[in-house]
Amino acid sequence: MADVNSQASGHGEPDVDVVVVGAGMAGLYQVHRLRQAGFRVQGFEAADDVGGTWYWNRYPGARCDITTLDYCYSFDPELERAWQWSEKYATQPEILAYLQFVADRYDLRRSFRFSTKVTRAAWDEERDHWRIATDQGDELTCRFLVMATGCLSVPKTWDVPGVERFQGETYVTGRWPHQGVDLAGKRVGVIGTGSSGIQCIPEIAKVAAQVVVFQRTPNFSAPAHHGPPPAERVAALAADRDAYREAARWSRGGVPIEPTTVFAAQVPEEERRARFEARWAEGELFSILNVFADQGTRLEANEVVAEFIREKIRQQVKDPEVAEALSPRNHPFGTKRPCLDDGYYATYNLPHVRLVDLRRTPIETVDETGVRTSAEHVDLDVLVLATGFDAMTGAVLAVDPVGRGGQRLSEAWAEGPSTYLGLCVAGFPNLFLITGPQSPSVLSNMAVSIEQHVEWVSDCLERLRAEGFTAIEPTETAQAGWGRHCEDCAAITLHPLADSWYMGANVPGKRRVLYPYIGGVGPYRKICDQVAAGGYLGFERR
Ligand code: FAD
Ligand code: N01
């Protein structure tokens, strides 16, 4: 490991070539690639081990929602041969074990300093390098700074009034205790019905004496149909792994699924239903998002799918009032991330599970003994906050890098994130974001998007070194053009109609804009490749 305690050298070469922040799926691969290319790399990770998302999110029922055959690294065929997934959607412990296996296999831990948070990063204009500081007192300099800090790594600040007064146990899904939590026989309240809430509620209901779910916005959820990895995928991969992975890289969402060309209005009712039922039976996000070509762009088409799903909810939930309360009506399907569940709706048929509809009876306050709504006081032993994340920008802005001329990233992004390709930011030379805002990121299979970014960054640094450059930075013009393109793409979709975390709407004061790029993984890859092939079009190098 580089001596990160050595004071910044002041003159000449920086302490290391690259600092990588984060040891999740992105940071691990970034370190591996850069080391292979001969760079001196120092990683930092706030947690005491690798895993990122899969280190932190240990709540009951936590799993991926992209089939694990697809949601994994593809950079090394040998790695793929060495690891077998046991399930269609692997559980958190299995994904964490996989990332630990990867760390061992490529000996990655030796490049990281764990239990260490990067707290400051400032660009030194005279020396063309970054000065980094950590909460452990480290100070070092690096030529390049890669923020592999995650899109969903900073839980949203508690904004439920009175939460801190609660005298029972309080748990946040994204910071679940590693030793587990014994909920047996307890009265548990869950606030939040996004993916985390929908995954953990059925599991909590299996052990708790009483479960009360406080729902502000109902979400669309489809059954995951857990089981072994899908036979068709396994066969396709076995037949031609390279072709399969290549198809994923050029696909729309990072999973090799053929986008439908059928528009909702083109087909009669019974064919619409048959198409929907077939996709529903598959139990996959990208299937259910792919019933009709226009469901993401035309409200009428979207409503066809939305109503089919509401019908499914009514079939699963015995009490019609509860079924209606669970039926989303205030946002088009797909504009909030749809969920995959394991018996979520049927959980509400259990006698000890109750839904509190916060649209009718909002939370007034949490107090010492439970939750007070406008209609009642609910006594609780345990409060679970499944209230989400300061997504896409939270982790990067927590460091708030200081770029050229002393400008902070938070100032540069005061009107919302502005980047070139979601990778770099004008005014912040040699800073790279992995799956940052304005890249496909959370709208895609992140494994594929992470690999694409990591490889693009590694190639870029190798080219800079080979051609004798020490700094790279996008031009304001290129950045403005990319921002415009992102906005144009978002504007033709239904996304702006939802108060989603995709739109930054879950965090008070955050600019309302579609944070990820919605143009698709394949088209995006092509643009990034063209930029590089053209000698880093839109960038200035020196
Ligand atoms: P992370 O895994 O979030 O890792 C970032 C790391 O950086 C963290 O360990 C964090 O501690 C560290 N860090 C942040 N700031 C600092 C700092 N200042 N100093 C030091 N360390 C820092 N995506 C999918 O495509 N498919 C899925 O099925 C899927 N399921 C998900 C399930 C859950 C519960 C969640 C929360 C997200 C899921 N995602 C999924 C998104 C998931 O975040 C990504 O797939 C992927 O794991 C992100 O990897 P990463 O390395 O970019 O970020
Ligand atoms: O967070 P969310 P999440 N009072 O923001 C509610 C990935 N992920 O952790 O919608 C009352 O989606 C909030 O209500 P509303 C995936 O990408 C994947 O569940 O704002 N309620 C909402 O219901 C996912 O999208 C998996 O009205 C409050 C919930 O809390 C992303 O991570 C599993 C509230 C937050 O939902 C985030 O998911 C888990 C308040 N003050 C996560 N504040 C997989 O399945 C918030 N809420 C792979």
Side-chain angles (χ1 to χ4, degrees), residues 187-442:
R187 298 166 301 173
V188 182
V190 181
I191 302 182
T193 50
S195 301
S196 303
I198 282 178
Q199 280 187 330
C200 73
I201 288 162
E203 294 303 312
I204 294 173
K206 285 177 188 166
V207 291
Q210 185 193 323
V211 180
V212 181
V213 178
F214 298 91
Q215 172 192 271
R216 192 164 64 184
T217 308
N219 222 327
F220 291 98
S221 186
H225 300 311
H226 290 307
E232 255 177 48
R233 297 275 170 89
V234 175
L237 261 171
D240 192 343
R241 188 207 83 95
D242 292 350
Y244 185 95
R245 296 301 185 203
E246 199 56 12
R249 291 181 190 120
W250 294 98
S251 67
R252 196 157 134 203
V255 177
I257 288 178
E258 198 57 44
T260 181
T261 52
V262 173
F263 287 74
Q266 278 177 327
V267 286
E269 168 66 15
E270 68 268 26
E271 195 182 325
R272 287 179 181 178
R273 185 173 290 274
R275 291 181 65 79
F276 171 77
E277 291 291 353
R279 301 287 191 280
W280 185 260
E282 285 169 15
E284 290 193 26
L285 269 188
F286 287 124
S287 298
I288 206 83
L289 289 165
N290 190 33
V291 182
F292 302 113
D294 51 347
Q295 71 186 62
T297 51
R298 276 188 62 243
L299 261 182
E300 297 79 359
N302 190 283
E303 183 53 23
V304 173
V305 181
E307 189 46 34
F308 279 140
I309 300 177
R310 291 186 206 113
E311 202 177 299
K312 293 286 186 192
I313 297 171
R314 291 193 286 274
Q315 286 164 7
Q316 294 172 81
V317 181
K318 286 185 186 146
D319 182 328
E321 260 186 53
V322 178
E324 180 51 31
L326 287 165
S327 297
R329 296 198 184 271
N330 78 343
H331 62 278
F333 172 64
T335 54
K336 285 190 168 204
R337 190 180 183 89
C339 308
L340 290 184
D341 71 85
D342 190 13
Y344 173 67
Y345 292 113
T347 303
Y348 292 95
N349 298 330
L350 299 170
H352 66 295
V353 177
R354 187 158 72 89
L355 183 73
V356 172
D357 183 351
L358 299 180
R359 290 168 308 177
R360 289 176 165 214
T361 57
I363 293 177
E364 286 181 347
T365 188
V366 176
D367 62 20
E368 287 73 8
T369 56
V371 175
R372 179 177 300 288
T373 70
S374 61
E376 62 179 324
H377 185 277
V378 182
D379 292 333
L380 297 170
D381 303 310
V382 179
L383 189 56
V384 173
L385 296 173
T387 45
F389 299 88
D390 183 354
M392 306 292 297
T393 53
V396 176
L397 288 178
V399 177
D400 206 3
V402 180
R404 273 194 297 108
Q407 188 189 30
R408 292 192 163 277
L409 191 62
S410 56
E411 293 161 359
W413 284 3
E415 296 304 312
S418 189
T419 74
Y420 184 40
L421 304 172
L423 274 162
C424 295
V425 185
F428 296 80
N430 293 4
L431 172 69
F432 295 90
L433 311 173
I434 303 299
T435 63
Q438 301 185 329
S439 77
S441 181
V442 291

Side-chain angles (χ1 to χ4, degrees), residues 467-478:
E467 293 169 20
F469 294 109
T470 54
I472 184 165
E473 183 188 338
T475 65
E476 293 281 358
T477 311

Side-chain angles (χ1 to χ4, degrees), residues 511-531:
R511 174 87 200 285
R512 203 191 151 87
V513 59
L514 184 62
Y515 281 66
Y517 172 60
I518 200 165
V521 164
Y524 174 78
R525 176 184 291 273
K526 192 170 178 188
I527 294 165
C528 291
D529 287 357
Q530 283 170 344
V531 164

Side-chain angles (χ1 to χ4, degrees), residues 41 50 63 78 83 110 153 156 166 206 228 233 240 297 304 349-350 380 382 421 485 496-497 505 507 521:
V41 187
V50 301
R63 290 175 185 259
E78 291 302 321
W83 184 270
R110 71 178 160 84
S153 53
K156 197 177 82 147
F166 185 57
K206 285 177 188 166
R233 297 275 170 89
D240 192 343
T297 51
V304 173
N349 298 330
L350 299 170
L380 297 170
V382 179
L421 304 172
H485 174 59
L497 299 179
V507 173
V521 164

Side-chain angles (χ1 to χ4, degrees), residues 454-512:
V454 163
E455 287 161 13
W456 193 95
V457 171
S458 307
D459 292 349
C460 174
L461 300 200
E462 284 189 66
R463 284 268 298 277
L464 291 172
R465 182 177 60 187
E467 293 169 20
F469 294 109
T470 54
I472 184 165
E473 183 188 338
T475 65
E476 293 281 358
T477 311
Q479 179 162 293
W482 183 250
R484 183 64 201 267
H485 174 59
C486 291
E487 279 173 27
D488 288 349
C489 290
I492 59 169
T493 74
L494 300 175
H495 275 280
L497 299 179
D499 286 335
S500 66
W501 64 260
Y502 289 149
M503 294 291 299
N506 66 330
V507 173
K510 225 168 153 169
R511 174 87 200 285
R512 203 191 151 87

